[in-house]
Amino acid sequence: MSLTLYLGTKNYSSWSLRPWLAAKHAGIHFKEVIIDFDQPDTTSRIYAISPSGKVPVLVDVDVKIWDSLAICEYLAEIAPHLWPSDQYSRAIARSISAEMHSGFVALRNEMPMNVRAKQRALVLSDAAQHDLVRIDQIWTDLRQQYQLQGPWLFGKFTIADAMFAPVVIRLNAYAVNLTLSMRAYMETFYNDSAFLEWIKDAEQDTLIVPRLECGQV
């Protein structure tokens, strides 16, 4: 297999984390290429491989797949266990993945992903607070329903967990009130070797992009 996954700066790129983590959990081998944000050649390098002008992008020989969720779906065709095995659970997993992919705008804007940030103080808007309540509801309901099968949202790791991984980093980066259920799910990630590999790489990266320290990514 000759897969190459093009990523943005690991400290900031929530979209890149998702397919990277899915591929790692699926045991799919790939070459990793990082295109750092806000460098003189960033735009030209991204457009050289990405029709949308954004990362992540997965290249499989002559095929290019862009957008994090589309890449995850492509990986699931290689490793079907990236989705739950039964039809009902798959439908729910796809629903919450799509909800994460297109929603939670206030949370994204007010709590940008930043691996190196630790418990930064901030005051959230009502909209962002509402996002956190909805996320807590999703995590709590699913982990209660599938708890006998494992600690992830559907027991075993799925693309749904990959989609929510950047939220876990956000909740660690900013000082916000968390329920016990949210903390328990976060602990699952911080005991996961693949997730910790990304964290280690991001923390060792010295690049600082000022606009991404307080903006959406």
Side-chain angles (χ1 to χ4, degrees):
M1 186 170 296
S2 56
L3 298 177
T4 301
L5 184 58
Y6 292 85
L7 311 166
T9 306
K10 283 189 171 182
N11 186 54
Y12 303 110
S13 187
S14 60
W15 298 107
S16 297
L17 169 58
R18 292 171 170 123
W20 183 95
L21 192 60
K24 287 286 185 176
H25 268 270
I28 297 173
H29 297 289
F30 62 93
K31 178 183 177 183
E32 174 183 314
V33 178
I34 295 177
I35 301 177
D36 278 323
F37 295 134
D38 284 30
Q39 302 304 296
D41 62 346
T42 297
T43 300
S44 61
R45 289 184 66 195
I46 291 177
Y47 271 106
I49 50 90
S50 173
S52 68
K54 298 179 180 180
V55 286
V57 176
L58 180 69
V59 178
D60 185 357
V61 190
D62 295 326
V63 177
K64 296 177 180 178
I65 306 96
W66 60 98
D67 183 274
S68 60
L69 189 53
I71 296 171
C72 286
E73 288 281 14
Y74 189 83
L75 296 173
E77 295 185 16
I78 301 169
H81 62 274
L82 279 173
W83 287 120
S85 59
D86 69 278
Q87 183 179 8
Y88 168 78
S89 298
R90 275 198 310 277
I92 299 303
R94 284 194 165 104
S95 294
I96 65 168
S97 295
E99 183 178 356
M100 180 71 254
H101 187 266
S102 62
F104 305 106
V105 175
L107 182 143
R108 296 180 195 277
N109 285 333
E110 297 174 38
M111 300 174 63
M113 182 171 123
N114 190 324
V115 175
R116 293 193 300 260
K118 298 293 184 289
Q119 293 298 295
R120 290 185 179 177
L122 82 168
V123 177
L124 293 177
S125 67
D126 289 344
Q129 292 282 8
H130 182 270
D131 284 347
L132 287 177
V133 170
R134 172 58 183 152
I135 288 169
D136 182 34
Q137 179 187 36
I138 292 170
W139 292 0
T140 300
D141 290 351
L142 290 173
R143 292 183 76 248
Q144 286 179 349
Q145 183 175 350
Y146 293 92
Q147 61 183 325
L148 295 181
Q149 300 177 39
W152 299 99
L153 293 177
F154 294 87
K156 298 180 180 179
F157 182 93
T158 68
I159 288 169
D161 298 291
M163 293 302 294
F164 280 98
V167 175
V168 171
I169 293 176
R170 286 176 161 100
L171 296 182
N172 189 61
Y174 302 96
V176 295
N177 293 325
L178 302 175
T179 65
L180 292 177
S181 178
M182 296 174 87
R183 292 185 185 278
Y185 184 50
M186 290 172 64
E187 185 176 349
T188 298
F189 276 93
Y190 281 97
N191 284 309
D192 178 68
S193 59
F195 183 77
L196 290 176
E197 181 182 342
W198 179 283
I199 296 296
K200 181 180 178 180
D201 290 347
E203 289 179 338
Q204 291 178 343
D205 187 357
T206 59
L207 177 67
I208 295 177
V209 180
R211 70 177 179 85
L212 299 181
E213 287 291 317
C214 58
Q216 178 179 342
V217 58

